[in-house]
Amino acid sequence: MSALQPVRGTHDLLPEDMRRHRHVVDTARRAVALYGYQEMSTPIFEFTEVFKRTLGDTSDIVTKEMYSFERGGDHLTLRPEATAGVCRAVISGGLQQQAPLKYFYYGPMFRYERPQKGRLRQFHQIDIEIIGIAEPLADIEVIAAGARVLDALGILKRTTLEINTLGDSESRTIYRQKLVDYFRAHQARLSEDSVNRLERNPLRILDSKDDGDRHIVADAPLFDDSLTPAARDFFAKVCDGLNRLGIAFNRNQRLVRGLDYYCHTAFEFTTTELGAQSAVLAGGRYDGLIEMMGGPPTPGIGWAAGVERLSMMLRDVTPAPRPFAIVPVGPEGEALALTLTEDLRRAGFPVELGYRGNMSRRMKAANKVNARAAILIGEDEIKRGAATVRDLDSGEQAEVPLQALKDRLAQFR
Ligand code: ATP
Ligand code: MG
């Protein structure tokens, strides 16, 4: 450990990374605004209970990934995901009465897991939630909004949408029993984690990342045979809606969300471009969640996507805007440069004023910041109330009266 290194699993977002990161978040925010999702945010930490109760005692997050601490007698946890906090906020504010609630969310999340490419301990998610709508139309819209975000980022074609249904609670009770029977017959070969889940939440075994478990899971009973007609109908409507919108998907009967509170639709946009980390955007329906937290029964559905994973998939990101460079020559030039620079910035032009050096050094500085044009101010120009504007791409230059300078610079846009 060295205090001069970032903590394992965390990273710095230097300007180049930050630009990609911002691009992902801004693009998503714009895309989901078209669907009526409004941005909101909740505190980065909550009472530990908020996550324990909602994610379930058997989830990976609660059993091993939470950053929990005690302060002033309170047990607190850095949020590992957004949905629990959003639902807590809905209950705290009695907001379910204004349903449907449609939220966009962005922020850092914290999970103590083994860091790898695309897997961090502090990462960022974008997230949407629609609360108060039990109809399959909400499922369709939420998935469509996810596809729209990926499309706007230029990566939709490099992802695959997998969807599944986890049925209603009646279906899950039937399925659960079949799973318990099946896994109990193979208990000796299951991982310790999965044996622990056997009684408490056998569905979670389907999500196991243990190789031995995966072999056993491969032959486990399929959910479809346990679906009630109502659950089957719900899922058919979701699939039909996606088909009508031209959103391609694969049915993946093994797709279960890692968390305990999901029902009906579960989905994941995956990619093969990020090594072992295949999920870029994942979500599902959580009708029981708000009630389980102690609020009134309120349905909900949403998704979350990792900003770092999306950033890694971006190909071209608009480069930083190119500034103009003011290059004073001589002491008089310097005096005028200071006020002119500020004047241009006030008018909305990005302007760099080299801090020191002679003309050639300042021209170098202008190239270093990738300036679009240099504005040279020397004694002769000052006498004539003008500046010389040099296009740094073409090398062409011309003298421009100071009153006309802004119009000339505007032409570079
Ligand atoms: P995984 O199967 O990769 O562990 P998950 O099921 O734990 O994912 P979710 O809780 O559904 O992930 O979170 C939604 C998205 O957040 C993921 O699809 C992924 O893009 C991102 N994400 C999750 N955990 C991490 C992490 N540790 N580092 C970076 N991104 C992450
Ligand atoms: Mg995980």
Side-chain angles (χ1 to χ4, degrees):
M1 183 196 78
S2 158
L4 298 180
Q5 295 296 317
V7 174
R8 196 163 124 80
T10 70
H11 67 164
D12 302 313
L13 288 170
L14 298 179
E16 180 67 35
D17 313 310
M18 196 69 216
R19 202 156 40 244
R20 301 170 77 81
H21 193 98
R22 273 280 151 225
H23 178 73
V24 170
V25 178
D26 293 346
T27 303
R29 188 185 281 118
R30 263 198 311 275
V32 303
L34 300 173
Y35 294 75
Y37 292 86
Q38 299 195 55
E39 186 156 11
M40 66 97 81
S41 191
T42 62
I44 283 180
F45 52 85
E46 297 272 354
F47 289 116
T48 299
E49 248 341 87
V50 169
F51 304 111
K52 263 207 177 141
R53 228 192 280 172
T54 59
L55 303 178
D57 286 340
T58 57
S59 65
D60 281 351
I61 291 183
V62 170
T63 51
K64 46 196 178 206
E65 296 177 2
M66 292 205 304
Y67 280 91
S68 299
F69 56 101
E70 203 204 299
R71 265 287 147 188
D74 291 331
H75 294 276
L76 306 171
T77 292
L78 300 182
R79 62 175 180 216
E81 54 96 45
T83 310
V86 170
C87 290
R88 195 273 309 138
V90 168
I91 300 172
S92 310
L95 306 176
Q96 67 283 346
Q97 291 171 11
Q98 302 159 33
L101 304 165
K102 298 171 82 170
Y103 296 130
F104 169 73
Y105 199 105
Y106 158 70
M109 305 294 157
F110 305 85
R111 297 184 193 178
Y112 186 73
E113 44 187 341
R114 199 164 65 80
Q116 302 159 54
K117 179 183 172 192
R119 187 172 297 282
L120 294 152
R121 290 179 173 175
Q122 175 178 336
F123 61 102
H124 297 76
Q125 282 183 341
I126 47 173
D127 178 292
I128 65 171
E129 314 283 350
I130 172 163
I131 294 170
I133 304 292
E135 281 70 21
L137 201 51
D139 307 52
I140 298 164
E141 185 193 271
V142 156
I143 295 173
R148 174 73 45 241
V149 168
L150 297 176
D151 191 34
L153 291 170
I155 61 184
L156 180 64
K157 292 204 171 69
R158 292 182 276 135
T159 65
T160 305
L161 169 60
E162 298 188 8
I163 76 169
N164 194 20
T165 176
L166 308 177
D168 46 21
S169 56
E170 203 185 329
S171 317
R172 274 198 309 286
T173 309
I174 304 168
Y175 186 49
R176 189 177 193 285
Q177 195 50 52
K178 286 188 193 163
L179 279 185
V180 172
D181 294 345
Y182 173 79
F183 285 126
R184 196 168 282 142
H186 297 86
Q187 185 162 351
R189 285 160 53 219
L190 280 179
S191 70
E192 197 187 317
D193 275 351
S194 289
V195 171
N196 285 333
R197 292 171 184 142
L198 189 54
E199 292 298 334
R200 296 158 80 188
N201 191 351
L203 247 79
R204 297 280 335 282
I205 302 177
L206 299 176
D207 201 27
S208 172
K209 305 218 155 78
D210 179 273
D211 281 340
D213 287 351
R214 278 171 182 265
H215 278 101
I216 303 170
V217 164
D219 294 323
L222 294 175
F223 209 138
D224 262 9
D225 305 325
S226 306
L227 287 178
T228 60
R232 198 179 295 279
D233 179 55
F234 189 101
F235 189 55
K237 287 194 167 112
V238 174
C239 295
D240 179 54
L242 295 176
N243 283 329
R244 284 194 288 149
L245 293 178
I247 298 174
F249 60 88
N250 291 332
R251 173 77 192 279
N252 176 355
Q253 288 223 47
R254 293 295 177 216
L255 178 70
V256 292
R257 303 284 302 129
L259 312 176
D260 279 358
Y261 52 67
Y262 284 95
C263 63
H264 287 297
T265 318
F267 58 94
E268 239 173 54
F269 286 87
T270 61
T271 177
T272 52
E273 292 180 16
L274 300 176
Q277 275 51 256
S278 59
V280 286
L281 186 154
R285 184 168 270 287
Y286 50 82
D287 291 349
L289 177 63
I290 290 182
E291 187 177 12
M292 187 164 71
M293 291 177 82
T298 312
I301 177 163
W303 53 250
V307 177
E308 284 80 1
R309 291 190 194 173
L310 293 171
S311 290
M312 281 192 280
M313 290 185 72
L314 291 182
R315 289 201 173 139
D316 349 278
V317 178
T318 16
R322 298 175 69 185
F324 297 103
I326 303 250
V327 180
V329 186
E332 284 174 58
E334 285 209 359
L336 177 61
L338 179 66
T339 51
L340 181 63
T341 302
E342 204 52 22
D343 185 38
L344 290 173
R345 288 171 179 160
R346 199 179 303 119
F349 295 97
V351 184
E352 288 286 338
L353 173 61
Y355 295 100
R356 64 170 81 94
N358 58 17
M359 178 163 158
S360 99
R361 185 157 171 189
R362 291 200 204 227
M363 284 307 292
K364 259 189 212 139
N367 284 319
K368 195 169 161 210
V369 297
N370 193 26
R372 179 66 187 84
I375 301 158
L376 299 127
I377 309 170
E379 260 175 66
D380 294 347
E381 280 100 344
I382 292 174
K383 272 188 213 128
R384 290 193 289 270
T388 295
V389 175
R390 183 185 299 172
D391 184 325
L392 292 178
D393 287 351
S394 67
E396 281 166 32
Q397 67 174 49
E399 198 171 284
V400 178
L402 285 177
Q403 314 89 287
L405 185 60
K406 287 171 192 157
D407 288 340
R408 173 68 189 99
L409 297 185
Q411 291 169 10
F412 286 106
R413 286 202 172 133

